[in-house]
Amino acid sequence: MKFEIYKDKAGEFRFRIVATNGNVLASSEGYSAKASAQNAIDRIKSDAAGADTVDNS
C-alpha cells in the first residue's frame, strides 16, 4: 500500500491511498499547502494502528 500526493485541477494538494494492485482505497480533501497533505498522511500513519472499527450497519 502507498500514499500518493498529487495536485488536482483546482490547484489543491490531495492524497490517495493506493493498494498494491493499483486500486484507490481512499482519497483526501483538498489542501492549499502540500505540507498540510503530508501532515494528514503522517497523522493517519501514526493513528491508524490503534483505530477502532465501528459497525453502524
Side-chain angles (χ1 to χ4, degrees), residues 3 15 35-48:
F3 289 86
F15 66 86
S36 298
Q38 184 62 58
N39 288 339
I41 291 169
D42 293 342
R43 281 194 311 275
I44 291 169
K45 287 181 175 181
S46 68
D47 295 347

Side-chain angles (χ1 to χ4, degrees), residues 3 6 11-12 14 17 21 23 27 32 34 43 49 55 57:
F3 289 86
Y6 63 98
E12 292 187 315
R14 296 178 180 268
I17 302 171
N21 65 2
N23 288 341
S27 343
S32 58
K34 188 175 184 178
R43 281 194 311 275
D55 183 353
S57 57

